[in-house]
Amino acid sequence: MSTGVAILEVRDFRIRRGGAEVLNLPSIAVAPGETLALIGPNGAGKSTLLLGLSGIEPPSAGELLFRGARVPAGAAALDYRRRVAMVFQEPLLFDTTVFENVATGLRLRRFPKEELGRRVAESLERFRIGHLAGRSARTLSGGEAQRASIARAMAVAPEILLLDEPFAALDPPAREALLEDLAHTLHETGTTTVFATHDRAEAQRLADRVAVLDCGRLRQIGTAEEVLRRPADSFVASFVGVENLLPVTLTAAGEGGAFIGRLEGGKSVAGIAAPDCALLAVGGAAPGMRVGSEGLICVRPEDVVVAAGGTGAAPDGENRLQGLVAAVVPQGPFLKVSIDCGLRVVAAVSGHVARAHALEPGSAVTVVLRPADLYVIPRG
Amino acid sequence: MRKSAAAVTALSAAALIAAAPGFAQEKVLILATTTSTQDSGLLDVLVPVFEKQSGLMVKTIAVGSGQAMTMGLKGEADVLLVHSPAAEKKFMEDGFGTRRLLVMHNDFVIVGPAADPAKIKGLMNTADALKTIGAAGGTFISRGDNSGTHAKEKTLWTAAGINPEGQAWYQQTGLGMGQTLNVASEKGFYTLADRGTYLAMKKILALEILVEGEKNLLNVYHVIEVSQAKWPKVNATGAKAFADFMVADETQKTIGGFGIEKYGAPLFFPDAGKAE
Amino acid sequence: MELIWQGIREAFGLIFGFDAEIWRISLLSLRISGTATFISLLLGVSAGTALALTRFPGRRVLVSLVNTGMGLPPVVVGLFVSIFLWRNGPLGALGLLYTPTAMIIAQSVIATPIVTGISLAAVQQLPPKLRLQILALGATRWQMVRLLLREARLPLLAAVMAGFGGVISEVGASIMVGGNIKGSTRVLTTATVMETGRGNFDVAIALSVILLLLTFAVNYLLTRIQQAERPR
């Protein structure tokens, strides 16, 4: 995150609903021009946080700061609310033309006719729906409607753009196309953006930083790379798709934050020797891990390298395990290969690789875990 | 949008104000009378004349006889023009009325189908006629609505010594005179009607006058000023003016001439000043 | 059947012959029912919208009352309004009985629950997040309400038409509080009852035809507004 004054900040921000506390955030700061993704399971508080940031829902305690100044509650928040725009998962268009819909925010702010027309046309063009201006909003496809909804929000040139799972209801091609156009627009306009999503790919594509929420609390905030490969705890790890959490005990410290650890729980697989227990784990460990700590090694499935059969001495610094393929399951563009090497390891390989190594249940394989891809976190 | 909403609001406020009543109560006279009186059309002639003379606005409320009397009892009317002598006498006895003046009369007739299955045509004795109807297989239909006409009908049954209630040949409409006549006409029933309404509707009815003329078929109208002593809000001066008007010579003449042109016979007979 | 044709012919004769009495009665019907509908529009849409957008203890009871009020017998309303307006009644000092104002009051009482109930349903069936979306585009609370109402304009106009239909056709309360007085409170419905009672069926049918034409004309206009501006 670049140094400088945060454009948007929450401090000790709490929201209660129906007697229960649904959001409790000691501090989150968003830098000007930054795109922040909020990820987390359903009910984590993402939507609630977005409503809080929009000025529509004042917090039960704590404060929201915009450019350093406190945002008041109630009618006085109007000034702030007019500098923010929000898009929801459903397009929520009005029963009128696309043009009128996109013009809504401008009409609310009493823009003069010519300026309004200009801005609406510009916004429509940005999202490639200029040709739909005169159409009734009721006749739009899902993708077109969501484009109109985003165009409507962007037409007022907001200083903060908030999106609540904006692509969740779209089919993949529509989602792809809109994501591209939105990314392009945000880059061009430099609009500070906070958006909630379930989709890690979206978070990676659009976001400068990712915040992981659970039960109303912030579990981790950092770049996508940080969150995906150096999760703060096992909850974040499993949520962001680290499917391999291997129990390990750290036995020795290496240089630059590296450790050597012994894998636990491996039993030997028929015909194959018990796993080699000496590993190098570089790329660090979570703070607080030291020699003797018991932890979990995180390695993402796409970082697991699989090669056909064979043993052989591991060159220094490489971690090799021998195992048998237990199952091969297609998952999106990849194949998920479950490998039994005394402990279960999941690898994601492309179809190309799977065919090249003739991977199928029962094949003998070698699993390679590169130290740079390994990260140790505490258990529990 | 805002401007037109404001304009519409202003317009309707104006409409409401225009529709608002005059608060000067002395200028208004509430006359309670019966539907048959109003239906005769006589009041459409007399009331405008009175309004011009007196400068009052007359609100003619035409309801059933019972309701008209009750309005007087409750002080909701200033003057009554009704034709239920028994109820009127009690009204005066109980002190609800200041003056009760005889105005006019018309009469009732028994009408029925031209074929006259009960063969009552021309009978002079009403009681005999009534006795015969049921016995001869005809049907009598009554208004059954506690109106003046109904009250008169009940006295006739009592005089004939018959209780028609519950008999198979006796039906009740609970409706006004015009509607009851229509039913009688459609179904070939007998009924008791005031001559005025019958004459007014004659051309669309398939009924004829079968019995008429006996004294007990007379329908006598009085005007009663409601007493201000019981109900202070009563417009006593206006009521007095109206009562005086109804018995004035000019008015009595108008009453006597009413209906001749249209029906060939007068509907009412002026009686002011005569003995009861 | 001949009677009906005769009545229709008579109706047109009366209208185009500019029979003064008929015109006066018709315009009075429009004025009284129109004003009552307008009042019920103001009260009903406000109340219905407020009920739809707020939550408070006892709300459900209130909504049930509104729904019951939609089926309130007009005659009952007439009876109670006249009891209140009697000279010796609680509001007697206003001298409103047997005036067009009394009829407007009674008809407003009849129409308001209808408009309230339908408006309530109209606003409630809008997508729940629409309110948030409007606020998120920078609307004040009043701008939000206006936009919601515009979004619900189809059923809201239906509410107005239902309210108008309920009172232009109403006769029981109109007779009780108006008195069917020639020249001041006689309207199409009360005149029709009177003429029927007198046996003047041709006039009664003529008045009925005029009433139907009037109601159709007003509803046609409202329907035009309701269905306007709907792009394809």
Side-chain angles (χ1 to χ4, degrees), chain A residues 4 47 119 128-129 198 222 241 292 334 354 363:
Chain A
S47 302
R119 287 219 190 185
R128 306 180 201 276
I129 50 173
H198 272 137
F334 295 108
S363 340

Side-chain angles (χ1 to χ4, degrees), chain B residues 12 19 39 59 75-76 233, chain C residues 38 87-88 98 101 197-198 201:
Chain B
S12 11
D39 287 349
K59 298 199 174 183
E76 291 299 327
K233 292 190 183 179
Chain C
F38 181 74
R87 273 208 302 224
N88 301 299
Y98 309 130
T101 306
R198 288 181 178 180
F201 290 116

Side-chain angles (χ1 to χ4, degrees), chain A residues 110-128:
Chain A
R110 304 215 189 292
F111 268 68
K113 191 168 163 190
E114 262 180 41
E115 173 79 7
L116 187 145
R118 203 180 52 73
R119 287 219 190 185
V120 170
E122 195 183 309
S123 205
L124 289 172
E125 274 316 309
R126 272 235 172 86
F127 292 94
R128 306 180 201 276

Side-chain angles (χ1 to χ4, degrees), chain B residues 2 8 12 15 19-21 23 25 38-39 59 61 71 74-78 178-179 182 201 204 231 233, chain C residues 31 35 38-39 86-88 93-99 101 104 146 179 181 184 186 194 196-199 201:
Chain B
R2 225 155 250 179
V8 182
S12 11
F23 285 95
Q25 297 290 18
Q38 189 191 57
D39 287 349
K59 298 199 174 183
I61 310 296
M71 282 172 74
K74 289 188 155 308
E76 291 299 327
D78 302 311
Q179 281 145 320
N182 269 312
M201 293 177 62
I204 61 164
W231 299 104
K233 292 190 183 179
Chain C
R31 181 161 79 95
T35 311
F38 181 74
I39 293 174
W86 276 346
R87 273 208 302 224
N88 301 299
L94 296 173
L96 285 173
L97 197 55
Y98 309 130
T99 61
T101 306
I104 291 175
R146 236 185 60 215
I181 297 170
S184 68
R186 190 169 293 176
M194 184 185 75
T196 309
R198 288 181 178 180
F201 290 116

Side-chain angles (χ1 to χ4, degrees), chain B residues 248-271:
Chain B
D249 289 337
E250 249 327 295
T251 315
Q252 291 284 305
K253 216 153 113 192
T254 314
I255 292 176
F258 182 74
I260 293 180
E261 211 186 292
K262 199 164 177 201
Y263 308 115
L267 293 185
F268 299 95
F269 301 93
D271 285 330

Side-chain angles (χ1 to χ4, degrees), chain B residues 131-196:
Chain B
K131 284 183 206 156
T132 320
I133 291 175
T139 309
F140 188 94
I141 187 141
S142 159
R143 280 182 63 176
D145 62 348
N146 288 328
S147 57
T149 311
H150 186 221
K152 169 66 83 179
E153 184 205 312
K154 284 197 275 199
T155 57
L156 292 173
W157 288 114
T158 314
I162 305 177
N163 181 6
E165 294 274 342
Q167 304 272 13
W169 48 264
Y170 184 74
Q171 295 188 24
Q172 308 184 51
T173 62
L175 299 172
M177 196 70 251
Q179 281 145 320
T180 309
L181 279 170
N182 269 312
V183 175
S185 175
E186 288 286 320
K187 302 224 160 178
F189 291 169
Y190 294 88
T191 190
L192 180 72
D194 61 286
R195 188 185 296 268

Side-chain angles (χ1 to χ4, degrees), chain A residues 19-230:
Chain A
E21 192 172 77
V22 292
L23 202 60
N24 183 345
L25 303 168
S27 172
I28 296 185
V30 185
E34 176 181 19
T35 299
L36 173 68
L38 304 176
I39 65 175
N42 283 329
K46 310 189 289 291
S47 302
T48 312
L49 174 55
L50 287 172
L51 279 178
L53 293 176
S54 69
I56 295 175
E57 180 147 3
S60 336
E63 40 187 29
L64 171 67
L65 298 157
F66 176 68
R67 297 189 190 276
R70 190 156 190 266
V71 174
L78 182 64
D79 212 53
Y80 169 69
R81 281 203 287 118
R82 290 228 167 133
R83 298 160 111 176
V84 174
M86 185 158 169
V87 176
F88 294 83
Q89 186 172 334
E90 312 89 0
L92 296 173
L93 298 176
F94 303 109
D95 185 6
T96 175
T97 61
V98 171
F99 183 95
E100 278 307 318
N101 266 284
V102 175
T104 305
L106 300 166
R107 288 207 195 279
L108 289 173
R109 293 162 175 74
R110 304 215 189 292
F111 268 68
K113 191 168 163 190
E114 262 180 41
E115 173 79 7
L116 187 145
R118 203 180 52 73
R119 287 219 190 185
V120 170
E122 195 183 309
S123 205
L124 289 172
E125 274 316 309
R126 272 235 172 86
F127 292 94
R128 306 180 201 276
I129 50 173
H131 59 293
L132 298 176
R135 285 261 294 275
S136 160
R138 285 175 292 131
T139 63
L140 300 180
S141 70
E144 290 167 337
Q146 195 64 320
R147 280 173 183 270
S149 182
I150 297 181
R152 177 173 62 180
M154 293 302 290
V156 303
E159 295 178 59
I160 312 271
L161 178 67
L162 305 170
L163 306 117
D164 193 351
E165 303 197 35
F167 311 109
L170 301 179
D171 58 66
R175 187 184 309 182
E176 281 307 309
L178 185 47
L179 227 147
E180 276 305 313
D181 290 333
L182 181 61
H184 183 76
T185 303
L186 292 180
H187 181 77
E188 217 181 76
T189 58
T191 311
T192 310
T193 307
V194 181
F195 73 101
T197 180
H198 272 137
D199 190 320
R200 291 194 292 274
E202 267 170 41
Q204 281 178 285
R205 173 81 183 77
L206 287 178
D208 299 311
R209 283 195 303 159
V210 174
V212 183
L213 293 173
D214 181 44
C215 296
R217 293 181 179 256
L218 180 67
R219 300 301 279 251
Q220 184 174 3
I221 184 168
T223 63
E225 184 63 28
E226 285 166 12
V227 173
L228 290 178
R229 294 211 157 74
R230 293 193 284 283

